[in-house]
Amino acid sequence: MTSQEPARSSGHVGYPALDGWRGICASLVALFHFRLVWHIDVNSHFARAAIVQNASLFVDFFFVLSGFVIAYRYQDRLIGRTIRLRDFLALRLGRLYPLHLFTLMLMLGIAVFVRSETHDPTQVTWGSVDVGLVAFVANLLLVQGLHTLSSPTWNYPSWSISAEFATYLAYAVLWTQLRTRTWIATTVVIVTAPVVILVLNGDTLDVTYDWGFVRSMLGFALGTIAFSASRNARVQELFARLSPGESTVIEVMLLALTYAVVTLAAGTPYSLAAPFLFAGVVLAFSEARGAVTAALVSRPLQSLGRFSYSIYMLHLPLQLMLIYASVALGASGWISLFGVHEGSQGPEVTLGRSPWVGDVATVIMFALLIAGSALTYRWIEQPWRARVRRWVAARRAQGGAMGA
């Protein structure tokens, strides 16, 4: 098998280039949040890069990719009812919840530490982020991204996990009830969701803990459309006719278009184009034939893709711990990584007396994040995913035996 051929695993066609995309997008979201941590700006060249400053849009790539992958793995099984709705939800919960719970407990530990050090509960608010008991329970129940609260909470990037699981439930019900007519509901979602988001949020796609479910449904629906297109005989024939050079040109154009949309459209009504663009990106790169794909399927980027969920869930608690460690180092007099710069509201404390110091801090953060993600992938993600799969398989076998 060459690097430009689709990978195969256990008799199924995989999408290694999309795994590479997943890893890059998760890393960019982590860098996006390392621009401002606990009221402290990070003074680095990374934080100033336009692609990083607007990387929150890559959450929509995850929603689209999720729709593509879930349709690939479960759509026919749910339509044909060869897998029960409860088993599907158990498998998805087993994939998402263990790491969500682990990072939530990390955030709880950080909050307890801060309160014990400052003896001031107001220091545990982290600005507009709610770390109260009600918010904690909402996170435990995985409803923190369903407009149940009035602000971001705890490990706040996890709003998207909450919205995504609700989307799994919605689409699983559609597939089991409407079956092949689900395309009608998908069309309604794609047509109405952008309008709903603009009406509710004003002028941008940037809805999170409030209307993030609508955003998730839009991306997921587009992902299912991309998957359906990938199975179309004419589309497959079209991609098969492309030479590696032609595929490379298309992939480079999509990269350039992605950069342009993310850097120029974020924070504007045009940001609503991002999920539609990402659907095209996912479709094109699912074919795995160009030179860009050859880079995406390289070993380092495949590892990054494998750890992407851990990167996404672990980065905020890790960044908070690094900030507190840096504060402690400065207080001890051993080394000070902080500088003071004049901001719009007066003097501001920044991590990094110069951008180069901030760059070093960012590189250290990212190295620790990859190492930590490799550990949580091995010790939390993999074991719990396998455990839930065995549990579902045993229950299905027992049900079959009882039915016989």
Side-chain angles (χ1 to χ4, degrees), residues 11-73:
H12 298 287
V13 178
Y15 301 99
L18 298 181
D19 288 334
W21 264 98
R22 191 200 311 263
I24 292 171
C25 291
S27 301
L28 286 169
V29 172
L31 291 174
F32 169 79
H33 283 126
F34 201 57
R35 298 170 307 120
L36 176 64
V37 185
W38 189 45
H39 304 296
I40 295 178
D41 283 301
V42 178
N43 182 22
S44 76
H45 294 98
F46 292 101
R48 297 175 184 177
I51 192 71
V52 171
Q53 290 179 351
N54 299 286
S56 60
L57 273 182
F58 285 115
V59 172
D60 297 283
F61 181 88
F62 297 136
F63 290 145
V64 172
L65 183 59
S66 182
F68 185 94
V69 172
I70 296 300
Y72 161 61
R73 291 179 178 170

Side-chain angles (χ1 to χ4, degrees), residues 9-321:
S9 176
S10 303
H12 298 287
V13 178
Y15 301 99
L18 298 181
D19 288 334
W21 264 98
R22 191 200 311 263
I24 292 171
C25 291
S27 301
L28 286 169
V29 172
L31 291 174
F32 169 79
H33 283 126
F34 201 57
R35 298 170 307 120
L36 176 64
V37 185
W38 189 45
H39 304 296
I40 295 178
D41 283 301
V42 178
N43 182 22
S44 76
H45 294 98
F46 292 101
R48 297 175 184 177
I51 192 71
V52 171
Q53 290 179 351
N54 299 286
S56 60
L57 273 182
F58 285 115
V59 172
D60 297 283
F61 181 88
F62 297 136
F63 290 145
V64 172
L65 183 59
S66 182
F68 185 94
V69 172
I70 296 300
Y72 161 61
R73 291 179 178 170
Y74 295 106
Q75 177 178 275
D76 291 342
R77 296 166 67 187
L78 285 165
I79 289 175
R81 298 182 181 177
T82 58
I83 183 172
R84 293 182 178 182
L85 177 61
R86 66 180 186 181
D87 290 338
F88 165 75
L89 293 176
L91 289 168
R92 299 319 301 161
L93 197 63
R95 175 72 180 97
L96 298 179
Y97 197 80
L99 188 58
H100 165 64
L101 181 61
F102 174 77
T103 54
L104 180 60
M105 292 301 108
L106 276 182
M107 293 296 289
L108 177 62
I110 295 170
V112 170
F113 169 78
V114 173
R115 182 166 183 174
S116 67
E117 288 293 307
T118 62
H119 305 288
D120 182 0
T122 63
Q123 293 298 314
V124 195
T125 59
W126 296 316
S128 62
V129 180
D130 183 355
V131 290
L133 178 60
V134 173
F136 187 81
V137 172
N139 277 264
L140 284 177
L141 297 176
L142 207 61
V143 297
Q144 75 276 15
L146 303 179
H147 211 330
T148 56
L149 301 161
S150 58
S151 69
T153 63
W154 291 94
N155 187 17
Y156 49 82
S158 71
W159 71 266
S160 65
I161 306 305
S162 170
E164 188 169 321
F165 186 75
T167 302
Y168 292 156
L169 174 59
Y171 252 87
V173 171
L174 290 173
W175 279 326
T176 55
Q177 299 304 313
L178 295 181
R179 307 179 84 170
T180 56
R181 295 189 299 276
T182 300
W183 68 269
I184 300 173
T186 295
T187 302
V188 171
V189 169
I190 292 174
V191 170
T192 61
V195 177
V196 170
I197 290 172
L198 286 179
V199 169
L200 295 174
N201 197 48
D203 60 356
T204 176
L205 181 62
D206 189 23
V207 288
T208 56
Y209 64 89
D210 44 11
W211 303 108
F213 173 65
V214 182
R215 183 178 178 181
S216 175
M217 284 289 289
L218 173 60
F220 194 95
L222 288 167
T224 66
I225 293 296
F227 175 69
S228 295
S230 74
R231 295 204 298 185
N232 182 276
R234 292 183 179 179
V235 173
Q236 291 177 344
E237 182 181 359
L238 175 63
F239 278 113
R241 288 179 178 178
L242 294 174
S243 68
E246 291 170 332
S247 294
T248 298
V249 170
I250 292 173
E251 291 174 0
V252 170
M253 290 176 62
L254 285 172
L255 279 180
L257 189 56
T258 297
Y259 181 85
V261 168
V262 170
T263 56
L264 299 177
T268 75
Y270 301 108
S271 60
L272 286 160
F276 294 87
L277 170 61
F278 291 148
V281 169
V282 167
L283 174 60
F285 281 88
S286 68
E287 293 302 311
R289 284 184 170 81
V292 176
T293 288
L296 290 169
V297 300
S298 64
R299 189 170 182 177
L301 289 184
Q302 287 297 289
S303 296
L304 206 62
R306 192 160 55 250
F307 304 150
S308 59
Y309 182 47
S310 282
I311 291 171
Y312 184 79
M313 294 297 289
L314 190 61
H315 73 265
L316 182 64
L318 175 68
Q319 289 170 6
L320 281 169
M321 287 188 283

Side-chain angles (χ1 to χ4, degrees), residues 90-91 93-95 98 383-393:
L91 289 168
L93 197 63
R95 175 72 180 97
W384 278 100
R385 190 189 314 176
R387 185 174 300 180
V388 173
R389 283 176 177 173
R390 289 194 299 268
W391 179 75
V392 169

